[in-house]
Amino acid sequence: MGDEDAGKTANAKDWNSASPLSRAWSSPSTNQERDKDQHLRRKLSRTDVEEKPPPLPPRPANLDLLQASPQTPEGTLQRPKTSHRPQLQSTATTAVSLTDIHTLSHPNGPSDIHRHSANSTPSGQSLRGYGSAGKFRGLSGDIDETASVRSYAPTLEAGGDVESLLGDVLRAGQESPAWKLLSNQEEGLNPFDSVQNEEDEILRDFDSEFDDIGVTDPTGANEEELRSLWWSKRKHFIILSSAGKPIYNRHGDDNLISGSIGVIQTIISFYESTQDSLKGFTAGAARFVIVSKGPLYLVAISKLGENDSQLRVQLEALYMQILSTLTLPRLTSLFSNRPSTDLRRPLQGTETLLSGLADTFSRGSPSTLLSSLECLKIRKSQRQLINSSMLKAKCDDLLYGLIVAGGRLVSVVRPKRHSLHPGDLQLIFNMLFEAGSVKAGGGENWIPLCLPGFNKNGYLYMFVSFLDSHTHGKESIQMERESERREDEIAIILISANKESFYDLLNMRDAIIEDLEANGTMAVIKSAVRQGRPATTDIIPGTVLRHFLYKSRGNVQYVMPTYKPYYTTMIAKRKLISLYHTLHAAVHAKMSHLKVHHCVSHDSVSLAWITPLFELYCVAGPNASRNALAQSANKVIQWVRREEERVFIIGGAVF
């Protein structure tokens, strides 16, 4: 039966089933009119069918779509091959361009890798194809509305390596062959030893940072030259009184910086007149941070990238150094009687201590960054023998007893309810090992000082005696006196509140040395000092880590490996500490809730990990994979747990 006959039959049925009234109204007068009417009805029926599209199938919910995919390991971002989800080609990446994630083999070794520019872009031909409609013709029908234009950009060639970058940061996973190939290649020049990009340009010729600028000529002939040298310094510390009197500055004399001090004083006074305190501002590439302490203003000017809180900690340490010389009551009394007091006279002779502390901050100090102490690694039983020797020789006037080796704490004896503040110990270590003024005196030293963390209102008296880890001789003594700091210096420090207890502490020192020599622990200390810190490969064989900092929050102590062989130069150490400053700032920001922070740069791959118990900052080479870094971080935690009573002083000896 044809289409026309079928249409006629259907219309006849409709006509017969209609009511009489409708048949009377619509009945045609002739057969010709009836045929025209049926033809018009068929045409209208076909038009309605063509214009009305079929209903769309129900769109699956997101939960159903996720449940349809096979299970993957928890925390991973990799898509299984058997997934029924759309085959999206775009992948998220932290790289600036494709060259940042290419990990192909280079015939000339790592030198070819470093030739790639971080700012390179795809060729113009490929860019023109991105917006072309013809680029998307002939695609598979599996793609639905979850796709996008970026899904079809030609970035698939690096997709495998991007997935390995996005793996779980603390879960060991499979590394791509490209990463393994790149990690096994021999590295050429250490990127930390030189300046390779604009970010590190500020560290060029960093060795000259601590050179003296010189004195301004009375005629002012060399003022412009000295001013240029002054501004070339990466870091400045300036202390002035509320009356605008200069007290201390690390670089340059008073004539050279008088103009700068005047500007700073004017800015601070302007904000104080509006009942507001100026805490910091930025001028060019320099960050200015201001701390107000009563009649003193302490100013830090840094181009090294530290944030405000880190610079504020350094200024607090300089203020504590001033209090250790004057005490707070005397400082307040001087300025209350005469606000325009010149504080340089009472502080005369302490410029070396202030400059030593300032230079430590400029070089980079893990102890200051972490606000904690480093201890010498020895066995627990050996440390207990040292503690018992100090307790056995203790005199009645003893308040604190310390044995320090190269700036690392070996043993401490303290009252039961009193602990030494890390800031106080930093002042002592700076005086003994950084400034070198006490060591230059030789023999026994009797020093009155204030420990602000213990009591900022009064003086204590410190007995200091240095021991040599090597054999004594005229040549070795001369070399030690010429050296500003020696990693193998051992000092016995005994602190008392009685200024007449010098001879009692001297006898105690002799008794301690005699007992340490008898039980063999003196040889243990000297051997540990000569061995130095362990390397990362000694701690974790075959690790990708080059350096790390581990802080025990409960003990307020930290441990780190040696700087060798990657960070032996001054610029390499400064770049490493700057990286630690960046990691520390990221996880300690006020509004941050980060627990793990992963950072990738042109010269390193680094990780920060904080918990209520510890803080870990670790650095690997630029070719290290994320999974290898995470594995090494876990192994560092395991190593510290095994060696905790060796690398940290747990409790110490109390009386």
Side-chain angles (χ1 to χ4, degrees), residues 599-612:
C599 181
V600 179
S601 65
H602 68 282
D603 54 9
S604 65
V605 178
S606 53
L607 177 73
W609 182 11
I610 61 171
T611 71

Side-chain angles (χ1 to χ4, degrees), residues 10 23 27 34 61 68 133 150 163 179 183 275 287 290 303 316 360 396 398 432 455 463 471 593 599 610 633-634:
R23 286 200 303 268
S27 66
R34 184 186 306 169
R150 291 190 61 187
E163 283 189 351
W179 273 112
S183 300
Q275 303 300 320
R287 180 64 184 173
I290 302 165
K303 303 176 185 177
E316 293 278 356
T360 299
D396 295 337
L398 180 70
L432 301 183
N455 181 14
F463 174 88
T471 58
H593 301 284
C599 181
I610 61 171
N634 279 323

Side-chain angles (χ1 to χ4, degrees), residues 260-280:
S260 301
I261 288 181
V263 172
I264 294 173
Q265 170 67 15
T266 302
I267 296 175
I268 296 175
S269 300
F270 172 78
Y271 276 86
E272 287 187 343
S273 64
T274 60
Q275 303 300 320
D276 194 5
S277 59
L278 178 62
K279 295 183 178 180

Side-chain angles (χ1 to χ4, degrees), residues 400 414-421 424 453-454:
Y400 292 109
R414 60 179 179 84
K416 190 172 184 179
R417 296 184 179 180
H418 294 281
S419 297
L420 274 172
H421 193 275
D424 292 339
F454 174 75

Side-chain angles (χ1 to χ4, degrees), residues 393-398 400 442-446 461-467 492-496 498-514:
K394 171 188 168 296
C395 65
D396 295 337
D397 292 329
L398 180 70
Y400 292 109
E444 294 80 22
N445 300 270
W446 185 245
Y461 300 89
M462 182 173 64
F463 174 88
V464 182
S465 178
F466 282 92
L467 308 175
I492 296 179
I493 305 168
L494 306 175
I495 301 174
S496 173
N498 184 5
K499 63 180 180 180
E500 303 295 338
S501 60
F502 173 82
Y503 291 103
D504 292 338
L505 298 180
L506 176 62
N507 294 332
M508 179 180 174
R509 188 279 313 261
D510 295 337
I512 291 175
I513 294 177
E514 183 179 355

Side-chain angles (χ1 to χ4, degrees), residues 63 69 117 119 335 386 423 426 430 433 532:
L63 182 62
S69 60
S117 172
N119 298 324
F335 283 95
I386 297 171
Q426 185 181 33
N430 172 67
F433 300 103

Side-chain angles (χ1 to χ4, degrees), residues 550-562:
Y550 178 97
K551 175 185 176 180
S552 173
R553 288 187 163 184
N555 298 313
V556 200
Q557 300 168 30
Y558 76 96
V559 62
M560 71 176 186
T562 181

